Structures are given as C-alpha cells and as structure tokens.
Amino acid sequence: MKKFLALSFAALTALSAASLDEIKKAGVIKIATEGVYKPYSYHDESNALVGYDVEIARAVAEKIGVKVQFIEAPWDALLASFDAGKSDAMFNQVTIKDERKKKYDFSTPYTAVYPAVVVKEDNNSIKSKADVKGKKGVSSATSVYGTTLSEWGAQVQTVSGFNQAVELVLAGRAELLMNDDVTFYDFIKNKKVPLKIAFKGEEPMLSAAIVAKGNTELLSAINAALDELFKDGTIAKISQKYFGKDISK
C-alpha cells in the first residue's frame, strides 16, 4: 500500500494515458486542440477543423501509422481534460516553460513566435514592460501569457480564450492582452478592429506538443515523426500555407 501511495502524480498521469502500443493497436491517436484558436486550430467556412497545429498533428499521426481523433475544448478545459487522460497528446501552441516541464513531457518545438502586448489603437500609455504594472490585463487562467502579465504587475482578469480577451479590450473592460504576434497579425488581417501591438518581447517563445509525463515511447514516436517532417519540408510547407513564412524555427 505504501509503495502504491508513493507513486508520483506524474506516474499516475502516465498510467492514465494510452501507450504507443495501445495507440497503434487501436489505430487512433487522440489529440487535444482548441478548435477556436485561429490560425493554429479552428473551423473553416465548411466547419472542417483546420490550422497549423491541426495539419502538423495529422502529419505526425500519418508518420506513426494511425488516424487522428481530435478532442476540442477551450484552453483551460482542454488542459484539465488532458490531465484526466482524455487525450494522448496536445497540439495547441503549448509554450515550453520550466514549470510546465515538471508536469508534461514536451516534443521537439515546431513553432517560434514572439510575445506581443496588444492594446486599443488610441492607447499610448503602454509602450514597455514597465508600463504594464497596475494595468488591467486579460488572459486564460493557465496561459503562460497571463502568468507573464501577472509577474509584470498587471491585474489579470480570466477569460476562456483569445477572442474573449479581444472583446474585453475593445469594450474597454481591460486595457491589454498578451499573445503571440502571429495570432494577432492574422486576427487583424481578417477583422478590422482598432487594436495595435504596443510592444513585443525580444526573445522568441517556443511551442511544442505535450504528452503525459513518463510516456516516453509515445514522445519518441512523435519526435521521430516531427524530425522527418522537418527534413522533408512538410512543416515549412504547412507554415507557408497559413502564415506566408516559416515560423517553425
């Protein structure tokens, strides 16, 4: 009994997630993704699930030799579902952070973007990290961007995702939000809204797929697939399709 109770949270999580052998036997890998995070994971006009992360996940599954079943939910609910073992991996722009490494195993990164602080066009009071202190920010509860804003001294209000964050800033109920620059550029390209980037971070943020801590065989299979997709140009091609440039590294 003592030995069982001594199992770490990470070990219990790994036990609840499907192994590579189980995935291959079932012929299906369950991938967690938001489905509302354009241009990474979203539904097009025909309601088909598309996006940069979605296509990479499909290409990885093909390399492994299985089909994909996507599990969709808002960011915070998606993480909770993943933690409960409802999916085998997550492809949803999960930023690599030391704190997260304690809980998840990260694949080879396939995205490098820059964090951007976004405000209304007429807001000239926020131009640097120092200006964020005391301001009203908005972010998903478990987002790395929300954590960063809190560390910078912002008063962060929790929302379900990027679109709701934009709505609150536009309505004047929040002064700023933080996300990657690519997401913002794509958003304003498709929707004419009075928003602007106040400033961007100088260091790129790397994102990758995650698997349950200790699910090493699945992680190795995903990394091997990503390595092939980098080498044969598939990831660069997918990136060009959605962004007009290679944001994979």
Side-chain angles (χ1 to χ4, degrees):
M1 176 64 73
K2 288 183 179 180
K3 287 184 179 180
F4 175 78
L5 293 176
L7 282 172
S8 67
F9 171 80
L12 289 172
T13 303
L15 287 173
S16 66
S19 67
L20 179 61
D21 285 343
E22 290 170 332
I23 290 169
K24 286 186 172 182
K25 184 176 181 180
V28 176
I29 182 170
K30 296 178 180 179
I31 301 292
T33 195
E34 280 185 87
V36 292
Y37 190 20
K38 191 177 180 181
Y40 300 107
S41 170
Y42 66 101
H43 288 264
D44 65 14
E45 294 179 354
S46 66
N47 202 36
L49 182 64
V50 296
Y52 178 69
D53 285 66
V54 171
E55 289 203 26
I56 290 177
R58 288 193 173 115
V60 166
E62 185 175 351
K63 290 289 186 183
I64 294 174
V66 295
K67 296 180 179 180
V68 179
Q69 177 185 346
F70 286 104
I71 309 296
E72 299 178 52
W75 173 252
D76 293 323
L78 194 67
L79 274 178
S81 174
F82 181 78
D83 290 344
K86 302 297 183 182
S87 51
D88 306 312
M90 184 185 294
F91 282 74
N92 197 79
Q93 289 303 295
V94 186
T95 305
I96 300 173
K97 288 290 183 180
D98 289 339
E99 189 63 28
R100 285 178 175 167
K101 287 181 180 179
K102 298 175 183 177
K103 191 173 183 180
Y104 310 112
D105 282 338
F106 282 85
S107 73
T108 301
Y110 57 83
T111 311
V113 295
Y114 289 83
V117 170
V118 175
V119 299
K120 291 185 72 173
E121 280 185 344
D122 59 359
N123 186 338
N124 297 312
S125 65
I126 301 173
K127 298 179 180 179
S128 68
K129 173 181 173 180
D131 299 326
V132 171
K133 187 175 182 180
K135 299 296 194 299
K136 293 180 180 179
V138 60
S139 175
S140 301
T142 55
S143 169
V144 66
Y145 299 114
T147 301
T148 299
L149 289 177
S150 294
E151 291 172 350
W152 290 356
Q155 302 170 22
V156 181
Q157 179 180 345
T158 299
V159 293
S160 62
F162 178 74
N163 289 338
Q164 188 180 2
V166 167
E167 291 172 4
L168 291 183
V169 173
L170 288 172
R173 293 170 59 189
E175 296 170 271
L176 58 94
L177 65 89
M178 189 179 192
N179 211 296
D180 70 82
D181 58 343
V182 171
T183 297
F184 177 71
Y185 288 136
D186 179 79
F187 184 83
I188 61 172
K189 179 182 72 175
N190 294 284
K191 297 185 178 181
K192 305 300 181 182
V193 292
L195 296 174
K196 67 180 181 182
I197 289 180
F199 67 95
K200 294 199 297 184
E202 297 180 355
E203 295 294 326
M205 301 181 76
L206 303 179
S207 296
I210 58 172
V211 300
K213 198 74 176 175
N215 202 344
T216 55
E217 289 186 354
L218 177 57
L219 181 65
S220 294
I222 290 173
N223 281 338
L226 287 171
D227 184 54
E228 289 183 38
L229 294 169
F230 271 114
K231 288 179 178 178
D232 66 18
T234 298
I235 291 178
K237 184 177 180 180
I238 294 171
S239 185
Q240 285 288 342
K241 174 181 177 179
Y242 286 97
F243 309 109
K245 61 180 181 179
D246 189 358
I247 67 161
S248 65
K249 52 186 176 181

